[in-house]
């Protein structure tokens, strides 16, 4: 039995569209594609919200990643998180007027495809189709946790390839190509034919997923811009920085970043390509995944899952700033530009740029 505290839970999306979700797995091999898809949907009385953690193997995977005992951690994780639901309806029918822009989302190290549902569901509620990739380098592969022992620079390249493969699969689905989904969900994939605007595509990710954003932008020009949430820049080779030609938005937490990491972000500064950075006051590294909403204040701060700021306010600022940036660089005709000031850190809870002092000589 999971944590049933009534004031805990992943916040519902705020956009005009109800949100559906489904899973796609191409095959069980390491070269396949596996992602959770979030999309605008029809409201349906039959549709149910899925569990936040898809199955118990994920608890074991988290325990292995954290190097703690499986049997003990499974009971703890199940108590804390076992009852929570994703703020989206599983396999609900797709519905949207006009074509949807596309976002590919990359999770952090040791995470998996469902842990950023507050971000992905919000984007879907605003009319995006979002594929949250489950990476095979360190994650759950066919529901069995695997670690390929790749070095971080090799992992980030593999992760970028997995993001590009997910995009390729969406392009095939959009074109009406019949797709085999080994998970055999109830979702009708044919309804997504001609639903996506394949000229308006962005890539987004957190931590190691933030580094994946930079690598993916370098590898695939179909990504028109990238949003890196509290990016961990270590896996990236310096030589790719001048090859990235798309706009990038760094949204950082106040407590995670350090001078060496920020200096690598600043190597991407450009006089001709928009590169933006803001920092959200009172946030920690885990202010972006859903964990931050699912623990009480004492446990959350003890486990460094919560900062000093209200977690819903923090994710709202991040989501609104992201939407404004996506409108600007995907050429969308929406009302997200009402949040343009957030891109420049114009809010009492934001810092323009960084709170970290970086010597110019380090850049």
């Amino acid at each position: 039995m999971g944590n049933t505290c009534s004031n805990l839970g992943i916040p519902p999306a705020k956009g005009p569209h109800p949100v559906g979700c489904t899973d796609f797995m191409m095959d069980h091999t390491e070269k396949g594609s596996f992602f959770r898809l979030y999309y605008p949907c029809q409201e349906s009385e039959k549709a149910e919200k899925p569990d936040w953690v898809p199955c118990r193997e994920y608890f074991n995977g988290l325990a292995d990643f954290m190097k703690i005992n499986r049997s003990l951690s499974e009971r703890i994780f199940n108590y804390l998180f076992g009852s929570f639901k994703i703020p989206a309806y599983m396999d609900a029918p797709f519905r949207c007027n006009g074509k949807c822009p596309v976002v590919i989302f990359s999770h952090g190290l040791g995470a998996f495809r469902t842990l950023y549902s507050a971000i992905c569901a919000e984007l879907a509620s605003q009319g995006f189709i979002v594929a949250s990739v489950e990476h095979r380098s360190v994650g759950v592969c066919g529901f069995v946790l695997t670690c390929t022992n790749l070095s971080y620079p090799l992992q980030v390249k593999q992760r970028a390839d997995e993001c590009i493969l997910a995009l390729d699969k969406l392009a095939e689905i959009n074109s009406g190509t019949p797709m085999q989904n080994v998970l055999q969900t109830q979702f009708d994939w044919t309804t997504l034919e001609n639903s996506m605007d394949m000229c308006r595509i962005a890539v987004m990710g957190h931590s190691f997923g933030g580094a994946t954003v930079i690598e993916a932008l370098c590898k695939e020009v179909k990504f028109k811009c990238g949003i890196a949430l509290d990016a961990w820049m270590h896996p990236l080779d310096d030589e790719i920085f001048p090859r990235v030609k798309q706009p990038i938005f760094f949204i950082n937490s106040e407590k995670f970043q350090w001078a060496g990491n920020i200096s690598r972000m600043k190597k991407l500064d450009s006089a001709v390509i928009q590169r933006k950075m803001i920092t959200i006051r009172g946030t920690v590294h885990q202010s972006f995944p859903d964990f931050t909403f699912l623990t009480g204040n004492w446990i959350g701060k003890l486990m460094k899952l919560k900062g000093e700021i209200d977690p819903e306010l923090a994710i709202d600022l991040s989501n609104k700033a992201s939407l404004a940036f996506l409108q600007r660089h995907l050429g969308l005709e929406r009302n997200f530009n009402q949040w343009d000031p957030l891109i420049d850190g114009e809010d009492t809870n934001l810092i323009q740029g960084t709170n970290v002092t970086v010597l110019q000589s380090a850049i």
Side-chain angles (χ1 to χ4, degrees):
M1 183 176 181
N3 193 331
T4 57
C5 184
S6 60
N7 62 343
L8 297 178
I10 302 164
K14 297 181 176 181
H17 302 282
V19 179
C21 66
T22 191
D23 285 325
F24 176 85
M25 182 184 280
M26 182 175 139
D27 55 43
H28 291 283
T29 72
E30 290 189 4
K31 297 193 180 300
S33 185
F34 184 19
F35 54 81
R36 166 68 54 94
L37 195 75
Y38 296 84
Y39 52 88
C41 76
Q42 299 178 29
E43 292 192 72
S44 173
E45 294 181 0
K46 297 180 180 179
E48 296 183 353
K49 294 179 179 179
D51 290 338
W52 181 59
V53 177
C55 60
R56 62 179 292 177
E57 282 80 4
Y58 286 87
F59 289 136
N60 293 334
L62 287 170
D64 291 348
F65 178 71
M66 298 171 70
K67 296 181 171 60
I68 55 180
N69 179 271
R70 275 191 174 193
S71 59
L72 175 62
S73 63
E74 183 179 337
R75 288 193 288 271
I76 294 172
F77 288 144
N78 189 55
Y79 174 75
L80 290 174
F81 307 120
S83 67
F84 292 115
K85 302 290 185 180
I86 295 282
Y89 296 100
M90 194 71 187
D91 295 331
F94 170 77
R95 181 180 181 181
C96 193
N97 296 324
K99 292 191 174 185
C100 299
V102 175
V103 173
I104 306 296
F105 192 93
S106 174
H107 62 68
L109 188 66
F112 40 92
R113 70 192 186 284
T114 66
L115 296 193
Y116 297 84
S117 67
I119 295 171
C120 296
E122 179 60 28
L123 291 173
S125 80
Q126 300 287 356
F128 289 79
I129 288 178
V130 184
S132 182
V133 176
E134 183 137 311
H135 291 296
R136 306 301 180 101
S137 51
V138 178
V140 176
C141 177
F143 302 114
V144 179
L145 191 92
T146 61
C147 180
T148 58
N149 295 318
L150 293 175
S151 68
Y152 290 138
L154 288 176
Q155 278 190 46
V156 77
K157 290 176 171 57
Q158 178 175 311
R159 281 166 148 261
D161 288 341
E162 289 164 351
C163 289
I164 294 165
L165 179 59
L167 178 59
D168 290 344
K169 291 296 130 188
L170 290 184
E172 291 179 36
I173 292 165
N174 193 60
S175 69
T177 303
M179 303 297 295
Q180 181 181 3
N181 182 9
V182 300
L183 299 180
Q184 298 180 338
T185 64
Q186 297 300 308
F187 182 69
D188 183 0
W189 291 89
T190 63
T191 61
L192 292 178
E193 185 174 352
N194 292 321
S195 66
M196 295 172 243
D197 188 338
M198 303 309 289
C199 294
R200 292 181 167 89
I201 303 165
V203 59
M204 186 174 186
H206 172 245
S207 192
F208 203 165
T212 305
V213 166
I214 310 303
E215 186 76 32
L217 290 171
C218 180
K219 286 190 163 196
E220 179 53 80
V221 295
K222 291 177 185 175
F223 293 122
K224 302 304 183 187
C225 64
I227 300 174
L229 306 174
D230 227 14
W232 177 50
M233 301 292 286
H234 170 75
L236 296 166
D237 292 329
D238 283 3
E239 59 92 17
I240 77 161
F241 294 156
R243 291 161 45 201
V244 179
K245 305 301 183 184
Q246 303 96 315
I248 303 169
F249 191 14
F250 292 102
I251 303 178
N252 294 337
S253 73
E254 187 175 14
K255 302 298 184 184
F256 175 71
Q257 293 298 335
W258 65 99
N261 207 52
I262 295 291
S263 69
R264 301 202 79 209
M265 293 180 188
K266 287 185 172 293
K267 288 181 179 179
L268 285 152
D269 283 354
S270 169
V272 294
I273 306 167
Q274 188 164 86
R275 304 283 161 77
K276 291 289 188 177
M277 183 188 299
I278 60 172
T279 300
I280 306 175
R281 296 183 190 274
T283 49
V284 296
H285 194 50
Q286 298 301 328
S287 293
F288 297 94
D290 297 334
F291 281 114
T292 193
F293 308 110
L294 307 182
T295 53
N297 200 47
W298 184 81
I299 292 177
K301 289 183 177 178
L302 180 69
M303 299 176 68
K304 298 183 179 179
L305 302 177
K306 287 182 184 290
E308 296 301 322
I309 192 173
D310 178 345
E312 289 196 33
L313 174 58
I315 209 69
D316 191 51
L317 286 167
S318 178
N319 285 339
K320 286 177 177 176
S322 297
L323 287 164
F325 190 81
L326 290 170
Q327 171 157 327
R328 180 180 294 183
H329 295 291
L330 297 183
L332 306 177
E333 295 182 3
R334 309 287 175 89
N335 65 347
F336 307 150
N337 57 345
Q338 65 182 299
W339 301 310
D340 275 355
L342 300 180
I343 298 175
D344 294 311
E346 295 178 15
D347 186 274
T348 56
N349 291 296
L350 297 177
I351 299 167
Q352 184 178 21
T354 180
N355 60 310
V356 177
T357 302
V358 181
L359 297 176
Q360 191 65 30
S361 60
I363 302 173

